[in-house]
Amino acid sequence: MSTTKPQRINVEFVSAYPSRPLRGEDAYAAIIGDVLARMAAALGHEVTREYYVNDAGAQADALARGVYARCLAPTEFEADEITALAAAVRTGLSKDLFEAVEADWLPAVRRAAVEAAMASIREGLTALDVQFDTFTHESSLETRGELFRLFSDFARKDALMDSSGNLINAAPEKPAERLMLDTVSRGDLRPRPLTDGDGRYTYYAADLAYHSDKLARGYDLLIDVFRKDHSSYAPGLIAGVDLMSAGKAKLSVCLIDPVRPAMAEEPSPRAPAAQGLPSLEELLAYYGARLLRRLFLTHAPGEPLELACCTEIRTVLLDADKLCASALALPISDIDGQSLETPLTEAAFNARNPHMLMKSVDELAAQFIKAGKITPKGRATLSQLLATLGLAQ
């Protein structure tokens, strides 16, 4: 499998906020992103797998304050993910911090909380057999200086506007009012706010700065794996990347279906009652990493994924996995048979649809089982495609 036009591709996925361990819905994003990266690599592209760590800004400060409060008075709070983080970091913090003013303890608590959360997240990723090449921390980016540069560039490109839609020919170094980006001319449905009414930078502006950092690293294609509840946000980000790169690089967004509990399932005693979903630990214990990967990959996009620990589902997944193993173990035939070729892998990758590849692999294995033999080319193809899906036998 190879492509005649190899590109440098960045695939960013999961990027769960560092305040808790990974959940089942995070695992879904992890597997889809992992397989997209594997497909791109199988086609001959140079691929970087990236995790973006949100460890700066108001949200990170709020996390630190929540952890600090629970460190001071642990018995006053119910058991939750923030309380668990506080228990993990409290003994490692200097006692002097608990008598200091906020300006002194906030950075240390924030750093400790993020590190503890990311350690848990990395454990979950390892259990799922998902690897990353780089973890980019928001705190490491020169966001404020980069935003002024970006806004100045937007102004030069006649894309920076005030709240009334009037073009601005020079970006203010310290915004004091709402600024907008004209993304409509690049396919978006509406302009996007870069600052709030008081001049504070929006999440969208910070996200553009992060994607500008990716572009500066020389990627031809950026792929972001988002949940479908980000569908209205994606066009603005795509338009922003097109504007920043002057059309030289592209952003493609892969939208994955929402995850919900099985409608008829009794709530698990080990799952949070309010959420109703099995925990990642429960899913891994029940299915194992391999069958859990299959569960995500066999879900056809378009409907919510019902996530449950279900005997019938596990049996179906196990039978399909055994079918592929049995196909690879068939006697070798000298007669050419049907095999999957590069165009299918390219089609699945271009559609951002790993399910397409999973379905075709299972169909191919069934055809070989029916024939009772497998060709050398078919065996090599099936083995390679299973490896591309992270399901090497």
Side-chain angles (χ1 to χ4, degrees):
M1 299 175 211
S2 62
T3 180
T4 55
K5 296 180 179 179
Q7 295 180 299
R8 293 193 68 223
I9 298 176
N10 180 291
V11 185
E12 188 225 323
F13 55 109
V14 186
S15 297
Y17 191 72
S19 61
R20 56 173 175 77
L22 293 182
R23 298 171 179 164
E25 58 267 37
D26 302 315
Y28 184 26
I31 298 306
I32 296 301
D34 178 69
V35 175
L36 285 175
R38 288 172 183 263
M39 285 196 289
L43 291 168
H45 299 294
E46 180 185 339
V47 183
T48 299
R49 300 149 175 259
E50 183 155 333
Y51 191 115
Y52 183 53
V53 183
N54 298 97
D55 64 339
Q59 196 172 5
D61 288 346
L63 170 65
R65 293 187 181 103
V67 169
Y68 186 77
R70 286 159 173 79
C71 285
L72 287 176
T75 59
E76 294 183 10
F77 296 90
E78 295 182 5
D80 62 9
E81 291 164 337
I82 305 300
T83 303
L85 267 184
V89 305
R90 191 180 193 284
T91 57
L93 295 172
S94 169
K95 293 181 179 180
D96 294 339
L97 289 177
F98 298 107
E99 298 176 357
V101 297
E102 181 179 284
D104 291 334
W105 61 254
L106 185 66
V109 175
R110 181 178 58 217
R111 182 171 54 253
V114 169
E115 287 177 355
M118 287 306 301
S120 175
I121 286 171
R122 287 174 185 266
E123 288 178 4
L125 294 171
T126 298
L128 291 166
D129 191 25
V130 173
Q131 306 296 321
F132 281 86
D133 299 304
T134 183
F135 288 79
T136 297
H137 289 69
E138 182 182 0
S139 61
S140 70
L141 302 176
E142 294 294 337
T143 303
R144 186 167 296 275
E146 177 62 12
L147 283 172
F148 175 65
R149 187 196 68 78
L150 281 179
F151 285 18
S152 297
D153 184 54
F154 294 153
R156 286 192 296 271
K157 293 176 179 177
D158 293 329
L160 186 65
M161 305 185 303
D162 63 20
S163 59
S164 299
N166 301 310
L167 291 177
I168 299 173
N169 57 20
E173 188 168 355
K174 294 182 179 181
E177 58 185 1
R178 184 180 298 277
L179 298 176
M180 308 288 290
L181 183 65
D182 176 18
T183 54
V184 176
S185 60
R186 288 167 175 79
D188 199 5
L189 295 176
R190 56 184 173 83
R192 301 283 170 162
L194 295 168
T195 62
D196 294 329
D198 59 2
R200 288 181 298 174
Y201 294 113
T202 62
Y203 178 84
Y204 174 68
D207 216 0
L208 288 181
Y210 168 47
H211 283 74
S212 175
D213 179 79
K214 292 189 200 180
L215 293 173
R217 288 181 258 156
Y219 293 109
D220 305 300
L221 174 64
L222 309 178
I223 299 176
D224 289 350
V225 178
F226 289 163
R227 296 190 307 271
K228 275 191 175 175
D229 58 6
H230 285 62
S231 60
S232 63
Y233 178 72
L237 197 55
I238 292 170
V241 168
D242 183 66
L243 181 63
M244 291 187 297
S245 71
K248 295 179 181 178
K250 298 295 182 185
L251 168 65
S252 174
V253 174
C254 174
L255 296 172
I256 61 173
D257 292 317
V259 174
R260 70 184 184 192
M263 301 303 289
E265 187 197 15
E266 290 294 325
S268 166
R270 286 176 288 175
Q275 186 184 24
L277 284 169
S279 67
L280 178 56
E281 292 78 7
E282 187 178 3
L283 289 167
L284 286 168
Y286 189 81
Y287 290 106
R290 185 182 183 83
L291 292 188
L292 186 59
R293 179 177 285 256
R294 261 194 172 272
L295 186 153
F296 293 136
L297 293 174
T298 54
H299 172 71
E303 296 292 335
L305 169 62
E306 293 190 352
L307 200 54
C309 294
C310 173
T311 302
E312 291 81 3
I313 294 175
R314 188 179 187 281
T315 299
V316 170
L317 295 171
L318 189 58
D319 287 346
D321 199 53
K322 289 179 178 177
L323 187 72
C324 287
S326 297
L328 292 172
L330 287 170
I332 300 295
S333 169
D334 294 332
I335 301 174
D336 286 339
Q338 184 178 357
S339 63
L340 295 177
E341 301 294 343
T342 299
L344 178 59
T345 308
E346 284 187 323
F349 175 69
N350 291 336
R352 308 294 183 255
N353 189 354
H355 166 73
M356 183 189 302
L357 193 61
M358 183 77 261
K359 181 180 178 182
S360 298
V361 166
D362 285 343
E363 290 175 352
L364 180 64
Q367 290 172 13
F368 285 130
I369 291 291
K370 183 177 180 180
K373 291 184 179 181
I374 190 169
T375 65
K377 183 178 180 181
R379 192 179 193 283
T381 300
L382 185 57
S383 295
Q384 192 171 20
L385 291 175
L386 284 168
T388 301
L389 292 166
L391 295 169
Q393 296 284 344

